[in-house]
Structure formats: C-alpha cells, structure tokens
C-alpha cells in the first residue's frame, strides 16, 4: 500500500476504519470525531486535528491510528498494513477477519432478539421502561412505577397517550449528580446529552440525577420503541391538574396511536401492490397529523412509517440505527426514506406504506433542504400536507415547551419558522399533479386550546379521525376510481369503528378543499 501523500484524500487504512464505523451507524466526520472523543476524552490532539487526519489533509499519527482502529473494532495490524506501515503478509487475511466479525455480530444479534422476544415489554415505550426499571435489582429497590392510558376526544374518544410515572421510594435519595452522569454515559451520545444540559443540571441537580439514572436503567429497553418524551421537568406546567394534588416529575409519555411504527397486514399490503397504488406521504406535526396517518395505515393495512433522525432505511425495508446529529439528521432520514420509496416505484413494487413527515425537514437552508424539496416535487406518492391554524400551532408550541410562556418572542419565532416551512412546502406541491396532491388547512377552533392537562384537547383529538376520513374520501375520488372504494373496505380498528359517524360528520367537510 502507498504511504500517505498530501492531497491524496483519505488514506486507505483510515477509510477501512470509517467503513467499519459506518456499518455500526457512525457516519460522517462530526459523528466519528464525537465518538472518538467519547472513547478517548484525554487524547491530546484537538478535534480539528483529528478531523484533518480523518480526511487526509494531515498525515495520521500512529497513536491516533491505533486508537481509531480500536474504536472501529478493526485489527490494528490490518490498518497499519493498508497505510503501508507494515508488510501486507504480516496482516491477517481481511476476508477471514470479515467473516469473524460477521459471525460475532450475528451471534450478538441473535442473542439480543432472543432476549427481547422473551420479555413482556415488546412494543410501547412506557411499558418497556417500567419493566426495565423494575426487573433490575437497583431499579426495583429505588423506584415505584405507575402506568396509565390517557383518553382524549369528544365524538371520537379513545386512549391517545401511554404514560409511565417513576417515583423514588420513601427514604431513597437522588444519586450524586456526577455518579448519575457516569451511569447514563453508557452510549456514545450520552455524554453529549450531559454536556448540553450542564446549566440545567447545575440549577436542578436532584431532578437531573434521577432523570439520568432512569435513562441509564431504561436505555436498552427503549432503543426500538418509537418516539417518546420525558416530561415533568422543572418549570413545566403540563401536569399541574393531577387529581391528588401530586405534581409528577418523571413521566415517560408516548403517543399511543402515532408514536410507534406499525407493520403492514400482509394480505392488505399485497392488494395495495396489486392495484399499483403508490404510498401515502402525510406532512404535518405528529400531534396534529400523525394520528390521522397512523389511523389511515391501520384501516388500510399499510405500514406506518415514522422517520427519525437516528435511523436509516436499507434496501429490504429494515430501519437500522445510525449516529447522526439530530437537526441535520432529520433531512438525511427523510432522504433515506425517499430513496427507498423511489427505488420501490422504479422496480414496479410500490411501497404499501403511510409515511409521516414533519414540516421541519423542509425548514432549513442550503443544499440538503433544497434537495429535500426537490425530492418532494418529484415524489411518486400521494402527498397530503396538513397546515395548522395559528391557534393549533400555538397550542403545540406551548405543549412541546412545557407551557413555559416566559419567552413569547421565542414562541413567535418558532411558529414563524414552521409557517415558512409550510409556505415552501405548498409552493412545491402546487407544481405537482392535482390527483396526487392534497392540501388541507386546519380551521381555527371555536374555543381556546388548553395545553395543560393529562390529555389533549377534544378538538385536537377529534381532528385525527376527521383528517384520516378526509384523505380516504380524496383517495376514493382520485386513486380508486374503479372497483370498491377504499373507505368501504376498511380493516377492523378505530377508523372502521367510527366510520358510520364520520360519514355524516360536518367537521370532515370543513377540512375538504373548497
């Protein structure tokens, strides 16, 4: 192998390590530098120097290469040989090493699947976290957990949120903060979380000590449990109306309908493909459009897809965890899903799925945001954009920040960014075929929306089935002009149960484009 030369790009040995890290979900120089610094916090060279050795602008130093190889789990001798520092015959056969790594990975994955299949908390995040905390000796000794399902809605009332509340047992005290941080630093991103919360932890050390301890106890159980959030943080007023006067502090909350990815019903998905119907992409905030997307997927037997910044979809439709920065990762995750969608379309195998896409994917500036919009323009799918009214958007702004209204300017700025994103989205969608594009605008509610409380306002809850039914009516007119209407062939579930009421609901008509 040739030795390093200035301007020759990433050296082969470094590229070998980067490839191995990418296969483990650590992609891009920022993520690699972060992972390197987590494993070797005392390494004397700066992050910029590490990055320059990764991209080949500086000659890699042997001590750095040794550490990088260990981080990537690649034999050091193999990396040195690729860099020309060892004769090739002194390095092991790479094909043998690859087989050993594959075998070891397969054994580990099989053991993990066997453990998960035997555990009772297979699906929902709050139940999974509760089981993880209470099945461990330390967690069971220190915590109690209560589980509840929170109902919302007037005409279409149902359980919409799962909640787990964790409390320290009487006599148990929060751990010292530095010990709690150490416990939670089991993954490559935990230390980054601790750094970003440093000021808050200094102001409320007892709260954060408990929160980080719970994070450490539940982390493995929550790895594949969809979207969830920890709530009850200092300053939050979301849960002030608890019946017993207790103010919850450590709540794990998950949207019961829209917060968990759902697999398709095989027979229904096959019928969808036989009709050559494209997938459905719903653009909107999760509490304002996600329920509709999930209800629609359940009723049609399609896969419900909730793209997340820390996941990548691969060719066979599996979602794999990757290490990405949260904000740019949103766009990368969207582009990953769109590539899969487009590939399935080109090969004549349309993806039987309903994909929820958040508007912030299109809110940024730069090449990636422009590419995301261009993908949206050319997307071989039914695209539904759900634009909130000012009141509903303000409700979500209050809900997501814990109803802390101290900074009204920040709330206004966030709302302005979201509405600008919708402007960009609608500008692009106006150039798409009308029979593949539906623009829905949520009307202003007749009364104020209260952000505090255990559930969602009835107006927001009832909006979800109404939106789903609106999309079904539109699909009946545009996608299913021949044969049985989709709205008449629904699978058993909430939407099917509510169908007789929805057919005569004036709230549905208010959502239809005029």
């Amino acid at each position: 192998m040739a030795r390093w030369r200035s301007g020759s790009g990433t050296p082969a040995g470094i590229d070998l390590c980067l490839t191995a890290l990418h296969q483990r979900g650590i992609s891009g120089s920022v993520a690699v530098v972060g992972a390197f610094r987590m494993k070797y916090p005392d390494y004397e060279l700066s992050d910029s120097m590490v990055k320059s050795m990764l991209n080949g602008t500086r000659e890699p130093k042997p001590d750095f290469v040794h550490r990088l190889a260990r981080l990537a789990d690649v034999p050091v001798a193999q990396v040195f040989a690729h860099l020309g520092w060892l004769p090739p015959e002194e390095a092991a056969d790479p094909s043998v090493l690859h087989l050993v790594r594959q075998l070891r990975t397969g054994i580990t994955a099989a053991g993990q699947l066997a453990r998960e299949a035997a555990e009772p908390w297979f699906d929902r995040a709050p139940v999974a976290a509760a089981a993880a905390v209470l099945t461990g000796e330390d967690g069971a000794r220190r915590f109690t957990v209560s589980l509840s399902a929170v109902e919302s809605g007037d005409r279409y009332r149902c359980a919409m949120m799962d909640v787990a509340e964790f409390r320290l047992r009487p006599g148990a005290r929060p751990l010292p903060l530095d010990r709690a941080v150490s416990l939670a630093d089991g993954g490559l991103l935990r230390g980054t979380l601790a750094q970003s919360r440093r000021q808050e932890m200094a102001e409320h050390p007892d709260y954060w000590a408990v929160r980080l301890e719970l994070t450490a106890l539940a982390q493995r159980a929550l790895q594949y449990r969809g979207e969830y959030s920890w709530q009850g943080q200092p300053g939050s007023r979301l849960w002030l109306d608890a019946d017993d006067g207790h103010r919850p502090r450590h709540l794990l909350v998950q949207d019961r309908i829209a917060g968990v990815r759902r697999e398709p019903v095989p027979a229904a998905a096959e019928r969808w493909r036989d009709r050559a119907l494209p997938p459905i992409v719903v653009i909107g905030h999760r509490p304002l459009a996600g329920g509709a997307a999930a209800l629609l997927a359940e009723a049609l037997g399609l896969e419900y897809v909730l793209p997340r910044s820390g996941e990548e979809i691969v060719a066979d439709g599996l979602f794999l965890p990757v290490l990405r920065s949260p904000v740019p990762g949103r766009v990368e995750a969207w582009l990953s899903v769109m590539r899969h969608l487009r590939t399935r379309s080109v090969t004549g195998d349309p993806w039987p799925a309903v994909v929820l896409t958040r508007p912030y994917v299109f809110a940024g500036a730069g090449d990636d945001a422009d590419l995301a919009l261009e993908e949206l323009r050319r997307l071989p799918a039914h695209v539904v954009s759900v634009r909130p009214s000012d009141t509903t958007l303000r409700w979500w702004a209050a809900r997501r920040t814990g109803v802390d209204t101290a900074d009204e300017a920040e709330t206004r700025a966030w709302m302005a960014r979201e509405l600008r994103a919708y402007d960009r989205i609608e500008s692009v969608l106006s150039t798409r075929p009308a029979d593949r594009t539906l623009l829905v605008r949520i009307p202003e509610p007749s009364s104020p929306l209260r952000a505090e409380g255990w559930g969602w306002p009835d107006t927001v809850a009832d909006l979800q089935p109404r939106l789903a039914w609106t999309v079904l009516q539109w699909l009946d007119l545009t996608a299913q002009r021949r044969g049985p209407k989709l709205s008449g062939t629904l699978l058993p579930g909430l939407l099917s149960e509510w169908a007789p009421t929805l057919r005569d609901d004036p709230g549905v008509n208010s959502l239809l484009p005029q």
Side-chain angles (χ1 to χ4, degrees):
M1 297 288 177
R3 290 182 178 274
W4 176 86
R5 295 193 312 274
S6 178
S8 59
T10 301
I14 303 297
D15 190 58
L16 182 68
C17 295
L18 295 178
T19 299
L21 288 169
H22 175 76
Q23 291 172 347
R24 287 167 47 194
I26 305 174
S27 302
S29 59
V30 174
V32 173
V33 171
F36 185 90
R37 190 60 68 187
M38 280 293 174
K39 188 170 180 64
Y40 306 109
D42 299 325
Y43 186 64
E44 63 275 10
L45 296 183
S46 66
D47 288 355
S48 61
M49 180 69 78
V50 170
K51 185 175 181 180
S52 66
M53 289 189 288
L54 290 172
N55 61 31
T57 58
R58 288 183 181 271
E59 183 173 9
K61 297 182 178 297
D63 63 331
F64 164 74
V65 173
H66 186 276
R67 288 175 171 83
L68 181 66
R70 294 297 187 195
L71 174 67
D73 197 23
V74 176
V76 176
Q78 188 71 31
V79 178
F80 276 29
H82 276 72
L83 289 169
W85 295 350
L86 278 179
E89 61 270 15
E90 293 189 20
D93 184 346
S95 62
V96 174
L97 294 169
H98 180 65
L99 285 173
V100 170
R101 282 197 297 273
Q102 280 191 322
L103 180 61
R104 184 169 58 204
T105 302
I107 292 172
T108 302
Q112 175 74 8
L113 286 172
R115 286 194 300 273
E116 289 194 351
E119 290 169 338
W121 33 262
F122 189 75
D123 191 11
R124 303 191 182 281
V127 181
V133 170
L134 295 182
T135 53
E137 182 178 344
D138 291 341
R141 180 169 47 85
R142 288 176 50 77
F143 291 97
T144 64
V145 187
S146 61
L147 292 168
S148 58
V150 181
E151 288 191 334
S152 299
D154 179 18
R155 183 173 292 202
Y156 308 103
R157 192 165 186 82
C158 68
M160 296 198 72
M161 285 191 287
D162 289 322
V163 181
E165 181 186 356
F166 299 86
R167 301 192 200 186
L168 282 172
R169 288 184 178 276
R173 298 292 304 159
L175 298 175
L177 185 57
D178 57 349
R179 184 181 171 194
V181 171
S182 178
L183 282 175
D185 194 16
L188 293 172
L189 291 180
R190 297 293 165 195
T192 303
L193 170 65
Q195 292 294 324
S196 67
R197 298 288 190 179
R198 178 177 294 176
Q199 181 177 348
E200 294 179 43
M201 286 193 283
E203 294 173 353
H204 305 281
D206 285 353
Y207 169 82
W208 282 103
V210 175
R211 162 75 180 276
L212 289 171
E213 182 183 2
L214 290 169
T215 298
L217 291 171
Q219 187 270 335
R220 186 178 70 85
L222 293 174
Q223 190 171 7
Y224 302 107
R225 299 298 185 266
E227 286 193 356
Y228 55 86
S229 63
W230 289 97
Q231 298 182 17
Q233 62 270 27
S236 171
R237 309 205 317 262
L238 284 184
W239 306 91
L240 286 182
D241 65 347
D243 294 337
D244 59 0
H246 165 65
R247 182 172 185 172
R249 281 300 190 191
H250 297 284
L251 297 164
L252 188 70
V253 182
Q254 185 171 47
D255 186 324
R256 186 183 182 95
I257 296 175
V260 182
R261 183 181 298 121
R262 298 175 185 272
E263 294 299 315
V265 176
E270 190 63 33
R271 286 195 299 271
W272 189 267
R273 282 192 291 261
D274 289 344
R275 296 172 181 172
L277 293 172
I280 303 166
V281 173
V282 178
I283 303 172
H285 297 89
R286 181 177 49 76
L288 301 177
L295 289 170
L296 194 63
E298 179 190 53
L300 297 175
L302 306 180
E303 182 176 357
Y304 171 59
V305 181
L306 189 65
R308 303 172 64 201
S309 60
E311 292 180 334
E312 179 94 4
I313 187 170
V314 293
D316 54 4
L318 292 176
F319 283 85
L320 301 178
V322 295
L323 188 62
R324 288 186 179 127
S325 299
V327 176
R330 298 166 176 173
V331 179
E332 294 173 21
W334 156 259
L335 293 175
S336 162
V337 168
M338 293 308 100
R339 284 192 295 269
H340 180 73
L341 189 154
R342 186 177 296 282
T343 299
R344 294 280 297 262
S345 175
V346 169
T347 58
D349 180 28
W351 190 12
V354 179
V355 181
L356 177 65
T357 301
R358 268 61 71 93
Y360 53 57
V361 168
F362 309 99
D367 293 342
D368 283 347
D370 292 341
L371 179 59
L373 284 167
E374 184 56 32
E375 285 290 337
L376 180 62
R377 186 193 312 276
R378 300 183 295 117
L379 202 59
H382 298 294
V383 179
V384 181
S385 174
V386 181
R387 184 179 185 126
S389 65
D390 287 349
T391 300
T392 51
L393 189 59
R394 177 171 286 278
W395 167 80
W396 177 232
R399 186 85 192 180
R400 63 188 286 276
T401 57
V403 206
D404 183 0
T405 57
D407 193 347
E408 174 66 16
E410 183 176 337
T411 297
R412 289 174 180 264
W414 179 83
M415 291 178 62
R417 285 195 299 272
E418 297 300 293
L419 292 174
R420 282 197 300 271
Y422 276 106
D423 289 340
R424 300 182 73 190
I425 292 165
E426 291 178 356
S427 175
V428 166
L429 294 184
S430 66
T431 66
R432 285 176 49 87
D435 61 348
R436 291 288 184 92
T437 310
L438 176 64
L439 303 180
V440 177
R441 296 202 170 203
I442 299 175
E444 286 289 346
S446 58
S447 58
L449 300 180
R450 184 169 178 258
E452 300 95 333
W454 282 78
W456 287 355
D458 291 344
T459 301
V460 175
D462 287 350
L463 173 66
Q464 302 312 302
R466 286 169 173 154
L467 275 171
W469 197 257
T470 299
V471 176
L472 270 176
Q473 287 186 311
W474 171 66
L475 291 172
D476 280 345
L477 294 173
T478 60
Q480 195 67 8
R481 295 175 180 173
R482 298 179 181 177
K485 300 295 186 184
L486 294 174
S487 58
T489 58
L490 303 182
L491 299 183
L494 287 174
L495 204 61
S496 176
E497 177 185 332
W498 292 328
T501 305
L502 285 162
R503 288 191 177 96
D504 299 319
D505 187 345
V508 173
N509 294 332
S510 69
L511 298 172
L512 291 170
Q514 303 300 315

